[in-house]
Amino acid sequence: MNPTSPHEHAGAHLDAIRQSYDTVAADYARSVKDPGALDPVSRAVLSAFAELVASPGLGPTADVGCGPGKVTAYLTELGIPAFGVDLSPRMIELARAAHPGLRFDVGPMSALAACDGELGGVLAFYSTHHLPPAELPQVYEEFHRALAPGGHLLLVTRVGEEEHQRRTYGYGDGDPAPFDSYRLPADRIAGLLERAGFAITAQTLQAPEEGAKRPVAGFLARKPAVDNVP
Ligand SMILES: C[S@@+](CC[C@H](N)C(=O)[O-])C[C@H]1O[C@@H](n2cnc3c(N)ncnc32)[C@H](O)[C@@H]1O
């Protein structure tokens, strides 16, 4: 039997995540907090990002792994032209139903439907932790490709010590589904972002909230006006 190619492996991994989020989508949408009800630090980080991407002349912001689109809508309320992208067709159905005036696309964050330099912002809000670490460089390069020089990335994720968790989650009383998650050290994420050509402009580290075990890191990063990819 032929060994599985890296491409086939990535496809299988995306299929599994898509299927799991399709299963939990409705319960996730019901249970996830509205961004306006998030803790003050999370709201401050989102506001800072919104202010940065509001710079005149910058293009729209892609909310990658947008789920039911609550954060996409929040950015729009803050005056940012934003659209959502998600692997899960069910999540996108829910996002479109809840926010009929906004654009939501089904697709992987590793291949954005945007021309080179088209975007003013990329937001990855709790959506990159299912990617195996080996896939992060390509995904960060894709964010960098799609951003205009001077554009901004905000990536928010839980961090850990190179942990790989395979767990079954349900939201509310809904059907549970299996999820693989990877928790990397914040320094490793920052290093990979820099290697993809980003300049880190700010980094936050929030202690785990009650009931959670891992801290949350936020990375505000800029695609320099003059490209610095090594
Ligand atoms: C924990 S949810 C977060 C949703 C939303 N950002 C929020 O904060 O409510 C993670 C989302 O990322 C999506 N996702 C995971 N891997 C993805 C990928 N490779 N490309 C696009 N979306 C992905 C999932 O389908 C899911 O909707």
Side-chain angles (χ1 to χ4, degrees):
M1 193 204 258
N2 286 335
T4 310
S5 75
H7 182 71
E8 281 163 347
H9 179 73
H13 157 75
L14 291 183
D15 285 348
I17 286 297
R18 182 187 296 111
Q19 202 174 327
S20 288
Y21 273 109
D22 273 351
T23 302
V24 303
D27 299 302
Y28 181 88
R30 264 192 295 274
S31 61
V32 71
K33 277 186 185 165
D34 282 322
L38 288 171
D39 64 277
V41 176
S42 300
R43 279 186 286 116
V45 171
L46 281 171
S47 295
F49 175 69
E51 199 172 315
L52 288 167
V53 296
S55 293
L58 280 182
T61 287
D63 178 8
V64 302
C66 64
K70 293 190 183 189
V71 184
T72 323
Y74 186 69
L75 286 179
T76 308
E77 282 158 24
L78 293 176
I80 306 306
F83 64 95
V85 181
D86 202 283
L87 202 53
S88 154
R90 184 71 189 120
M91 283 288 196
I92 291 296
E93 243 175 50
L94 294 168
R96 287 178 182 153
H99 311 287
L102 300 186
R103 171 184 159 196
F104 293 100
D105 302 336
V106 176
M109 64 176 81
S110 50
L112 298 174
C115 300
D116 293 359
E118 184 183 333
L119 303 177
V122 172
L123 171 66
F125 202 65
Y126 294 94
S127 60
T128 52
H129 55 289
H130 300 302
L131 292 161
E135 290 178 27
L136 290 177
Q138 188 272 326
V139 169
Y140 295 169
E141 281 162 23
E142 175 64 357
F143 297 167
H144 187 273
R145 178 198 67 75
L147 277 171
H152 299 273
L153 167 71
L154 172 60
L155 191 156
V156 176
T157 188
R158 288 191 193 281
V159 289
E161 296 302 324
E162 305 280 354
E163 297 149 46
H164 174 193
Q165 307 161 335
R166 183 164 291 164
R167 294 216 177 129
T168 298
Y169 290 113
Y171 291 89
D173 297 331
D175 290 337
F179 289 93
D180 281 304
S181 301
Y182 302 85
R183 305 300 183 186
L184 302 188
D187 286 357
R188 171 123 184 257
I189 295 172
L192 290 173
L193 288 173
E194 285 171 347
R195 215 164 303 154
F198 285 102
I200 308 279
T201 45
Q203 216 176 297
T204 55
L205 190 65
Q206 286 178 258
E209 68 278 23
E210 215 182 304
K213 288 201 180 102
R214 285 168 189 76
V216 172
F219 304 84
L220 269 169
R222 187 165 178 271
K223 175 170 174 173
V226 176
D227 227 333
N228 69 349
V229 177

